[in-house]
Structure formats: C-alpha cells, structure tokens
Amino acid sequence: MSLNNLIDSLATNGWYVWDDFVTPEQRQAIKDCIPDIALKDARIGNKASLQGNKTIRGDQTVWLEPEMGVPITQYMDKMDTIREELNRQCYMGLRDFETHFCRYPNGAFYKKHIDNFQGQGIRKVTTVIYLNEEWQSGDGGELVVYDLQDQELFRLEPLAGRMIVFMSENFPHEVLPTQKKRESIAGWFLTEKIL
C-alpha cells in the first residue's frame, strides 16, 4: 500500500514520490474550483516582511479552503488521513495542514529555498501534487531537490497526479523555469494549529 511505502520512505530517506495520487477526474475537479481571478502573484517572507520578488519566484497562488467546493474538501480529507497516519506511526505531532494552488506561467521559476520561515519551524512535512496534463520532457518546471550540503539529490518531473512528500527542513529545493503553464498544489503539515 502506498501509504505504508510513504511512511517507510520518509523514515529512511526523508522523502517519497507517490505516482497517481490523484486521478485525472480529481485533478480536473480541483482545478474547476479555482477561479482565475483568485490567483495572486506569490510573495516571499512572512508577516511584516512579505514582499513580491519575481527574481526569486514567479508563480501565482491561492490558498485553498473547504468552502471552495467538495473536490477541495475531499483532497483536504485525504491529506488529513495522511497526517493522522504520520502521527500514529511516526509520532510527528502534526496538528494542522495548510495548502495552496500554484500556477507557474511560461518562463516562471522558484529559486532554491527551504519551506520554513526564518526563525520558525512549524512546517514539518511538505507535499506537492502536480496537475499538469500531458507534461513532456523539455517542458521544464522540474523540481530539483538538494541535501543540506547543497548537493543535488534528484530532479523530479511534474507529471500529472504525482505527489512528492519530504521533510520540510531537510531538503532545499527549487522549481526550474517552465516552458509552458505548470500547475500544482503545495501543502505543509504543521506542528501548530493555524489560527
């Protein structure tokens, strides 16, 4: 079962790739819940330091909420099942989940970063689900994952339905420039409740 594989791989490698995590129908239903008008240029930083900086990241995002539709609720319920299992088997103390839809227009990228705000460590586990239909080699937008010594570990193609899960603080990563529109859902299991 893939959930057990995820637990085993996170414990040994710190990351796991789960192909076909969402079906084509689920991908389309989620995308149908995202109004284009809701997408905003992504920013970097946190709270008072939030700023737009297209030299670092060029995607557009919208935070996902259950009120956006049943497909979003079903996705969040599925992620909550994973959270509960990580707590049960790995004693991670995960208390919440935050998630947003990301769209990278042609040419956009996200430079190397770690998924925790400076001075905070509440993001414990990162998830990214790819929604790109018919991605092909040469389309760009691969995820490049590094270790803490800045050595490249692997490049992941953003294939539709694929999810990568990794320990947020252990793996700097970047999104290479896209050659066509790239869509995904990024999420984080948190050690504190979102207020």
Side-chain angles (χ1 to χ4, degrees):
M1 178 176 171
S2 292
L3 188 50
N4 289 332
N5 293 341
L6 183 153
I7 301 284
D8 291 345
S9 187
L10 268 188
T12 56
N13 303 318
W15 58 272
Y16 179 66
V17 175
W18 186 333
D19 283 325
D20 301 316
F21 179 74
V22 289
T23 66
E25 295 77 22
Q26 290 168 330
R27 292 193 299 271
Q28 189 58 53
I30 288 169
K31 289 197 276 190
D32 288 345
C33 291
I34 311 293
D36 283 345
I37 195 165
L39 289 165
K40 305 287 184 214
D41 287 345
R43 299 184 292 172
I44 59 170
N46 187 27
K47 296 182 182 169
S49 69
L50 270 177
Q51 59 178 303
N53 188 334
K54 294 228 181 214
T55 66
I56 294 176
R57 71 182 294 187
D59 56 322
Q60 299 172 315
T61 63
V62 60
W63 290 98
L64 299 182
E65 302 293 342
E67 301 78 34
M68 297 171 85
V70 171
I72 303 294
T73 304
Q74 290 171 338
Y75 151 70
M76 294 177 102
D77 288 346
K78 194 172 184 180
M79 300 309 284
D80 204 52
T81 299
I82 292 173
R83 181 188 65 80
E84 290 171 354
E85 199 61 24
L86 287 170
N87 284 341
R88 190 177 74 74
Q89 292 196 44
C90 303
Y91 309 102
M92 286 192 171
L94 304 173
R95 301 185 65 205
D96 213 342
F97 181 69
E98 64 179 0
T99 182
H100 66 209
F101 174 82
C102 310
R103 178 177 292 155
Y104 286 76
N106 192 358
F109 55 87
Y110 193 167
K111 296 251 177 146
K112 192 189 312 173
H113 62 284
I114 290 182
D115 282 349
N116 260 313
F117 300 117
Q118 197 166 11
Q120 297 182 10
I122 67 168
R123 287 179 172 176
K124 188 83 168 174
V125 180
T126 296
T127 66
V128 182
I129 301 169
Y130 298 108
L131 306 176
N132 320 294
E133 305 301 331
E134 300 175 15
W135 186 92
Q136 296 182 24
S137 181
D139 287 344
E142 295 91 343
L143 180 75
V144 185
V145 178
Y146 300 86
D147 64 19
L148 292 173
Q149 289 71 48
D150 209 31
Q151 299 297 309
E152 182 179 320
L153 296 175
F154 59 91
R155 293 179 182 221
L156 189 69
E157 298 172 338
L159 300 179
R162 171 178 279 176
M163 178 171 72
I164 181 167
V165 181
F166 59 89
M167 301 304 295
S168 301
E169 294 184 300
N170 297 349
F171 297 99
H173 53 283
E174 67 177 320
V175 176
L176 297 180
T178 61
Q179 303 305 315
K180 69 176 188 180
K181 181 173 71 176
R182 176 192 188 272
E183 295 178 323
S184 61
I185 301 172
W188 299 271
F189 293 111
L190 310 173
T191 54
E192 293 179 13
K193 270 285 207 199
I194 302 171
L195 299 177

